[in-house]
Amino acid sequence: MSDLKQLVQQLPKTELHIHIEGSLEPSMMLDLAARNNVSLPYADIDAVSNAYNFNCLQDFLDLYYKGMSVLLTQQDFHDLTWAYLLRCKQQNVVHCEIFFDPQGHTERGIDFATFMHGICSALDKARAELGISSKLIMCFLRHLDEENAIATLNAAKPYLDRIEGVGLDSSELGHPPALFGEVFRQAAKLGLKRVAHAGEEGPPGYIYEALDVLEVDRIDHGNRALEDPELVKRLVATQMPLTVCPQSNLRLAVIDDMSEHPIRKMLALGLNACVNSDDPAYFGAYISGNFHALIDALDLNRKEILQLVINGFESSFMEESSKNAYLEQINALH
Ligand code: HPA
Ligand code: ZN
């Protein structure tokens, strides 16, 4: 392994943009389908992998929602989350902030209690046994209306002690952030942090709306900010975090080739970007794989890698004392 890839392994890391349902590996999908008697349109693992050929976000989302249909019981959600956390341990991800999509499950008749207890039991076990800290971010599906999002926020009220913030995901084009102003205001009143996917496929205007209407603490993706110099200036001045997902960008055709990935340019402009996997089971790379792809394609250097990792800690919602302890560890490696 190259020195830089060893450095990536050695560094404690965060992950701030991971959809837990997007960590459902084909093998687990088939096992859960068998366990739960759910029929899938795939004969075997190769058939699943061969189907993961996407031209845009919606191509992926269609399979992502089909894939999550195998998740039925509390144990399923526990197993899914635990498998992701074991990957974190292997790759030295010490803190993760995990998205989940309640409406992807409640729409299929699964109770809030089922996925909350399943996910949280795995997070608690990881804290105790693996030393990995975590936060949960509940995402609203933007292809559904705001009324549905408000009902979801209300259903989450018994679990708010386990939910750090709310997010906005699913089909971006045609579903601008401003449509969700009221539910984000209600979430803010409840003391929840706010993040939103914006500028993955949507125009810079969607990023302005996430900032001005949803008053977000972070932008998820944000690639298309680069088309608007005024917006870049504002994001730099406020050090607004951008949770960038390189391998996702490649697999969803946001970029044509990893050598065109804008992350190095983002750092050069002073943007607060960090590296994340988004939906690792669908895009073929967890955190380390994303760093490796950037190192191979962009010839990223040591200083840039350290900056990306530091940005992840700085942008996280983790407790200040642990954040500072990790930052000290990383600075010692400088
Ligand atoms: N974008 C929007 N919605 C999503 C994604 C994504 O990359 N992954 C899972 N839901
Ligand atoms: Zn995402």
Side-chain angles (χ1 to χ4, degrees), residues 19 57 60-61 64 169-170 197 200 221 278-279:
H19 302 262
L57 174 59
F60 153 70
L61 289 169
Y64 169 79
D169 67 359
S170 194
H197 284 56
E200 180 184 18
H221 295 292
D278 209 3
D279 301 282

Side-chain angles (χ1 to χ4, degrees), residues 15-291:
E15 167 126 272
L16 308 182
H17 184 158
I18 158 80
H19 302 262
I20 199 62
E21 298 88 350
S23 72
L24 178 59
E25 288 287 343
S27 57
M28 184 180 282
M29 190 190 292
L30 295 177
D31 287 350
L32 293 182
R35 181 158 109 185
N36 292 333
N37 258 318
V38 174
S39 72
L40 286 174
Y42 310 114
D44 53 31
I45 292 190
D46 284 347
V48 186
S49 305
N50 290 337
Y52 290 177
N53 216 329
F54 315 116
N55 290 313
C56 64
L57 174 59
Q58 193 60 49
D59 281 357
F60 153 70
L61 289 169
D62 292 343
L63 295 197
Y64 169 79
Y65 294 120
K66 276 205 191 96
M68 68 173 80
S69 70
V70 303
L71 298 165
L72 295 183
T73 68
Q74 188 172 319
Q75 187 68 45
D76 300 340
F77 285 94
H78 176 96
D79 293 349
L80 171 73
T81 309
W82 182 246
Y84 166 69
L85 292 159
L86 287 176
R87 299 273 189 161
C88 287
K89 186 67 187 170
Q90 282 168 2
Q91 303 197 347
N92 205 14
V93 171
V94 296
H95 176 79
C96 50
E97 302 191 351
I98 296 181
F99 294 139
F100 66 111
D101 284 331
Q103 291 150 298
H105 312 305
T106 53
E107 296 264 304
R108 304 183 285 115
I110 314 282
D111 284 346
F112 234 89
T114 302
F115 49 83
M116 285 307 296
H117 290 145
I119 294 171
C120 289
S121 63
L123 298 181
D124 292 344
K125 184 170 153 86
R127 194 179 299 268
E129 296 178 15
L130 308 177
I132 296 174
S133 57
S134 54
K135 305 280 183 193
L136 276 180
I137 300 177
M138 175 172 84
C139 284
F140 302 119
L141 299 182
R142 69 204 303 162
H143 68 270
L144 303 177
D145 63 19
E146 189 178 45
E147 201 181 320
N148 201 317
I150 291 172
T152 303
L153 182 60
N154 285 329
K157 282 186 179 159
Y159 307 98
L160 288 185
D161 60 328
R162 298 304 308 252
I163 299 175
E164 184 74 8
V166 296
L168 186 66
D169 67 359
S170 194
S171 320
E172 188 180 6
L173 286 170
H175 304 102
L179 295 175
F180 296 88
E182 176 56 27
V183 70
F184 270 64
R185 264 190 298 283
Q186 291 186 16
K189 264 205 195 141
L190 292 167
L192 294 165
K193 297 272 202 297
R194 283 143 290 151
V195 302
H197 284 56
E200 180 184 18
E201 287 189 342
Y206 283 24
I207 301 176
Y208 282 105
E209 287 184 16
L211 297 172
D212 294 330
V213 182
L214 307 187
E215 299 188 356
V216 292
D217 299 284
R218 299 197 294 244
I219 296 284
D220 295 312
H221 295 292
N223 299 46
R224 291 195 59 191
L226 294 175
E227 296 168 22
D228 183 332
E230 280 307 310
L231 178 57
V232 168
K233 249 193 234 167
R234 176 172 173 187
L235 296 171
V236 170
T238 53
Q239 282 299 287
M240 175 59 59
L242 306 180
T243 62
V244 177
C245 306
Q247 187 68 20
S248 163
N249 293 158
L250 179 65
R251 295 293 302 278
L252 298 186
V254 169
I255 52 171
D256 292 330
D257 192 274
M258 194 59 88
S259 63
E260 293 165 16
H261 198 279
I263 203 154
R264 162 171 263 163
K265 182 171 175 199
M266 288 172 162
L267 290 180
L269 288 165
L271 286 162
N272 180 8
C274 59
V275 173
N276 304 274
S277 71
D278 209 3
D279 301 282
Y282 288 85
F283 304 144
Y286 288 78
I287 281 282
S288 300
N290 274 273
F291 274 103

